[in-house]
Amino acid sequence: MKYRIEIIPRTLFFKRPAGTSRGVYTERKVWYVRLTSPDEPGRVGIGECAPLPDLSCDDRPDYEQLLSDICRQTEERGERLSEEELENYPSIAFGLETAFKHFGAGMPGFGDSAFTRGEKGIPINGLIWMGDREFMFRQITEKIEAGFRCIKLKIGSIDFEEELGLLRYIRSRFSAREIELRVDANGAFAPSDAPEKLKRLSELELHSIEQPIRAGQWEEMAKLISETPLPIALDEELIGCNSCAKQAELLQTLSPQYIIIKPSLHGNRDRWIRLAEEAGIGWWATSALESNIGLNAIAQWVSTYDNPLPQGLGTGHLFVENVAMPLALRGDELWFYPHRQRTPVI
């Protein structure tokens, strides 16, 4: 089949600055790919290519030219490039995969699951962004009042004692049976003080901590995981481990309690899950600050797995102007509304 792919760059602006231990995001650059074909007039497929600056393995100065080259190759072949050819470009692979699935189905609901049929929602965590104590406290209160049973806090940017105070406050009101607490350090702890900090955090009956120390320190991370009193989930550590051999090596060497899969960052997501489950490692998925185009694709994919853990899919209201999609929150669940489907306007 003959295809034409149009690349549409966009800058998305956050409603309020999104703070992490790596810095503060105020805007987000994404590239939409719009797939059409003269053989199927009127049919459109849209995907989102969204590398994270200074984090994605395919974040590079010539990203737009690289994306253009890959799209031209796709047009010339009349089909998607293979997984192996796109292995080192996970954000591009994800965007083009989404576009082809959308094109094939002719609608945003391109999967077949209870979620896409509008029969079941996906439980998600409520995300608390970094900031001063008052800002974080306000977010926590809003999420609890909205009915969230799992809350994830970004930590590592303000004083550790203040962060402990916030967590103690939540625990003073809600037991671990009532509210599940996850924290994400984004690599903010030093290997030397991480054990003591994990010990103190574990006293608050947390579910897990994401990436306590900076990625790439395999010897220190393996030791920390083997001795931790608090389950550790790896996130940034997975970035750049794109081959099956490298993914297997990471899981075997570090043996974490959990991994967190971000399709735009981590490449072959189904293989990560297979390798993790074979090793007895738990997992959940999160979006990586994509617009609703990417969020919709991630939600549809994760809904095909029978994973009861809350997923990290609460980023749909981050931007001033987002792409309208048939997604909505009901309490602490993300729902898809099949009767509202129409081609997104980008």
Side-chain angles (χ1 to χ4, degrees):
M1 182 179 290
K2 293 181 180 179
Y3 293 110
R4 181 177 183 272
I5 304 175
E6 179 185 4
I7 299 170
I8 306 170
R10 288 284 187 273
T11 298
L12 308 174
F13 295 93
F14 285 84
K15 292 178 180 177
R16 55 191 179 191
T20 75
S21 61
R22 291 188 301 272
V24 178
Y25 291 102
T26 58
E27 60 182 44
R28 177 82 161 97
K29 186 70 177 288
V30 304
W31 287 263
Y32 297 118
V33 287
R34 187 175 187 273
L35 179 71
T36 57
S37 172
D39 299 330
E40 293 278 355
R43 189 175 286 261
V44 177
I46 297 174
E48 178 177 358
C49 302
L52 280 172
D54 302 318
L55 187 61
S56 296
C57 66
D58 54 359
D59 172 50
R60 40 194 278 179
D62 64 341
Y63 183 85
E64 191 162 340
Q65 183 59 54
L66 173 67
L67 175 59
S68 178
D69 292 343
I70 290 173
C71 288
R72 298 296 81 78
Q73 291 179 56
T74 304
E75 289 177 341
E76 291 168 4
R77 294 190 192 182
E79 62 182 8
R80 286 165 51 195
L81 275 64
S82 68
E83 287 186 357
E84 291 73 19
E85 290 173 296
L86 295 179
E87 189 170 71
N88 293 319
Y89 314 116
S91 67
I92 295 176
F94 179 61
L96 287 173
E97 175 193 322
T98 302
F100 271 93
K101 285 185 175 180
H102 181 196
F103 181 90
M107 60 185 68
F110 44 73
D112 182 22
S113 67
F115 173 72
T116 54
R117 293 191 296 271
E119 299 168 359
K120 184 179 180 181
I122 299 173
I124 65 173
N125 61 245
L127 180 59
I128 309 301
W129 290 98
M130 287 178 171
D132 58 33
R133 181 186 177 92
E134 290 73 21
F135 174 63
M136 295 179 73
F137 179 84
R138 186 167 64 251
Q139 292 180 83
I140 291 167
T141 302
E142 291 171 354
K143 294 299 182 186
I144 291 174
E145 290 178 349
F148 281 87
R149 292 161 290 177
C150 176
I151 293 177
K152 170 182 166 179
L153 287 85
K154 296 274 190 179
I155 63 173
S157 68
I158 65 174
D159 181 73
F160 183 64
E161 297 300 328
E162 287 193 46
E163 291 171 339
L164 281 176
L166 285 168
L167 292 166
R168 288 194 188 102
Y169 166 75
I170 300 173
R171 273 291 167 258
S172 71
R173 293 184 57 192
F174 300 95
S175 69
R177 287 193 300 270
E178 295 171 301
I179 295 291
E180 179 180 288
L181 291 177
R182 300 172 177 173
V183 294
D184 182 3
N186 285 127
F189 298 165
S192 58
D193 62 18
E196 176 62 22
K197 288 183 174 179
L198 293 189
K199 179 178 180 297
R200 297 183 69 189
L201 288 167
S202 71
E203 294 168 357
L204 297 170
E205 298 182 90
L206 306 186
H207 173 270
S208 58
I209 180 169
E210 294 181 32
Q211 203 68 44
I213 65 174
R214 181 172 44 82
Q217 305 176 90
W218 281 23
E219 184 176 345
E220 293 88 346
M221 183 67 86
K223 185 174 188 297
L224 194 61
I225 289 171
S226 68
E227 299 175 353
T228 183
L230 176 63
I232 290 175
L234 298 184
D235 176 0
E236 289 94 335
E237 202 74 64
L238 278 58
I239 296 172
C241 293
N242 300 322
S243 69
C244 182
K246 195 66 175 177
Q247 292 170 354
E249 181 188 5
L250 181 144
L251 296 180
Q252 182 177 6
T253 302
L254 301 184
S255 192
Q257 285 78 26
Y258 297 99
I259 60 171
I260 301 166
I261 302 169
K262 297 179 177 179
S264 290
L265 273 72
H266 297 150
N268 191 318
R269 54 196 183 276
D270 295 302
R271 187 168 65 204
W272 273 118
I273 291 174
R274 176 177 59 80
L275 291 171
E277 291 182 342
E278 288 173 355
I281 296 168
W283 66 274
W284 66 87
T286 78
S287 52
L289 305 181
E290 295 91 352
S291 75
N292 280 339
I293 297 288
L295 177 64
N296 175 61
I298 297 168
Q300 291 194 50
W301 162 69
V302 82
S303 73
T304 63
Y305 284 90
D306 185 21
N307 187 337
L309 294 177
Q311 308 295 307
L313 304 178
T315 57
H317 300 284
L318 291 178
F319 303 110
V320 175
E321 292 184 359
N322 210 326
V323 181
M325 295 292 283
L327 299 170
L329 289 177
R330 287 192 206 167
D332 66 345
E333 292 185 337
L334 181 68
W335 282 76
F336 184 88
Y337 292 86
H339 61 282
R340 299 180 187 173
Q341 296 193 69
R342 61 171 182 260
T343 299
V345 178
I346 55 176

